[in-house]
Amino acid sequence: MRIGVIGAGKIGGNAARLLADAGHEVLLSFSRDPSRLADRATAIGPRARTGTAAEAAAFGDVVILSVPWSAIPAALEEAGPLDGKILIDTTNHFGDLEGLTTAQHNQQRVPGARLRGCWVRGGCCG
Ligand SMILES: NC(=O)c1ccc[n+]([C@@H]2O[C@H](COP(=O)([O-])OP(=O)(O)OC[C@H]3O[C@@H](n4cnc5c(N)ncnc54)[C@H](OP(=O)(O)O)[C@@H]3O)[C@@H](O)[C@H]2O)c1
């Protein structure tokens, strides 16, 4: 399967590594320093490549969104349309979202995507 990763930090980067180890193709995107993305892709190996958030969105049968809460608007703007994509959303929000869960709130930002919230037991940051 092809998986686009928007935000390849502790969560997104480690998910990409585990998915590549399992045989999937991953495209890492959305960094303040593209050289960091390239280093991460090199460390993951030949199943990993880098690109823009829009390329990750187009590439992925599944797309992972794993950026800080404050960076979500920019990430989604750069990603462009996610209609019909399965979007795995790892993001957390710790404040009040007017009674909505994080996933409910973010689904409203990408109404065409099939959003799935992700909760990592114990974290996968190691
Ligand atoms: N679902 C869960 O169980 C769980 C567990 C832990 C965390 N989370 C959430 O998952 C998300 C990612 O967490 P993380 O620990 O992987 O974070 P992280 O290590 O800081 O990774 C964030 C990624 O976003 C990129 N990024 C692009 N623009 C950015 C900007 N303006 N500011 C900051 N980062 C930017 C960073 O790239 P560069 O650093 O290369 O710029 C980095 O690759 C967060 O929303 C966090 O709250 C969820």
Side-chain angles (χ1 to χ4, degrees):
M1 186 176 285
R2 290 179 155 212
I3 299 161
V5 181
I6 302 173
K10 290 185 285 297
I11 299 292
N14 279 298
R17 176 176 54 79
L18 293 167
L19 290 162
D21 286 350
H24 301 288
E25 297 287 325
V26 298
L27 190 156
L28 313 184
S29 73
F30 200 66
S31 169
R32 292 160 293 182
D33 179 354
S35 71
R36 278 203 289 264
L37 276 184
D39 290 346
R40 284 172 196 149
T42 299
I44 290 172
R47 294 198 188 91
R49 68 193 77 181
T50 63
T52 65
E55 286 166 343
F59 175 85
D61 305 304
V62 171
V63 179
I64 297 175
L65 176 65
S66 193
V67 300
W69 187 260
S70 60
I72 293 174
L76 292 179
E77 185 177 337
E78 283 191 34
L82 288 159
D83 292 358
K85 299 284 184 180
I86 295 171
L87 180 63
I88 298 177
D89 175 15
T90 81
T91 67
N92 287 323
H93 183 274
F94 300 101
D96 177 27
L97 293 171
E98 297 180 343
L100 298 179
T101 65
T102 296
Q104 288 168 334
H105 180 86
N106 283 345
Q107 178 72 78
Q108 293 181 348
R109 295 167 133 161
V110 282
R114 297 158 63 195
L115 189 140
R116 301 289 181 269
C118 163
W119 181 72
V120 184
R121 183 190 296 271
C124 62
C125 308

